[in-house]
Amino acid sequence: MQVESDGYGTIEFEENGDILESQIAILGEDVTIEIEGNKDGVVDAMSRLWRLVHTYQEALEADLADPSASCGVAMYLEHLLEDADKEKLQAMFNGATPTKEQLFSRLVPYGIRINLDERESYFQVDVGIGNNISDYLVCVTLDSQAKIQEVTVES
């Protein structure tokens, strides 16, 4: 199945059971897209993909700036500084221990899950630091209108 997306051109999806899968490049990273639910909504969902990508970046920035956020970006960055593989982490920063701001600047998307269920549609973007440094990801969940629902850390 081929679908035109806003900002990413034509995307070729493969069917894997009830899930459509594809890969696209976002911010220089290969990102897996998985879509499940009502396939009639795929074209509409892909027309909002560019907006989705920019909204998740705004969500990360807002979550980091929110001192009341208990299990989001700040927690993930603290985890990286305290518990992640120090050698791999320092290798990303030319041997130096990075600051939270430097780590934040390296967050990249890994996967996008889109649920097109008639009862509950949502987009979820999984974001991480890369290089197998951590078993955790930051998950940004947006509703069908790309409004931020939650930002959490998951393994």
Side-chain angles (χ1 to χ4, degrees):
M1 168 185 230
Q2 287 188 336
V3 178
E4 280 297 316
S5 73
D6 184 21
Y8 295 98
T10 302
I11 299 175
E12 181 73 36
F13 284 93
E14 293 181 18
E15 290 193 44
N16 185 2
D18 292 339
I19 297 175
L20 295 175
E21 295 178 340
S22 188
Q23 292 261 331
I24 64 170
I26 298 177
L27 302 175
E29 297 291 326
D30 286 334
V31 177
T32 300
I33 299 177
E34 295 179 349
I35 301 176
E36 60 184 319
N38 183 357
K39 304 301 185 263
D40 293 337
V42 171
V43 172
D44 183 51
M46 290 299 94
S47 73
R48 292 179 280 155
L49 186 60
W50 187 85
R51 181 174 166 208
L52 162 71
V53 168
H54 286 78
T55 301
Y56 99 79
Q57 291 170 320
E58 292 168 9
L60 291 175
E61 291 168 4
D63 188 75
L64 183 60
D66 182 357
S68 68
S70 61
C71 65
V73 177
M75 181 180 140
Y76 178 73
L77 298 177
E78 283 293 328
H79 157 73
L80 292 174
L81 290 170
E82 294 173 8
D83 302 322
D85 185 316
K86 302 286 186 248
E87 289 179 15
K88 288 182 180 179
L89 192 60
Q90 289 175 343
M92 290 179 71
F93 295 92
N94 298 320
T97 299
T99 64
K100 281 185 183 180
E101 292 78 15
Q102 289 171 318
L103 288 171
F104 184 81
S105 72
R106 294 281 183 100
L107 294 178
V108 294
Y110 282 100
I112 297 175
R113 287 188 296 280
I114 302 172
N115 183 320
L116 298 175
D117 189 298
E118 287 89 15
R119 290 172 277 133
E120 178 188 23
S121 293
Y122 64 86
F123 295 86
Q124 183 172 339
V125 182
D126 296 334
V127 181
I129 194 78
N131 294 339
N132 297 318
I133 292 173
S134 173
D135 292 333
Y136 293 92
L137 294 170
V138 177
C139 300
V140 179
T141 304
L142 309 166
D143 68 13
S144 61
Q145 302 305 311
K147 291 186 181 151
I148 302 163
Q149 297 299 300
E150 67 180 345
V151 178
T152 60
V153 175
E154 298 180 9
S155 62

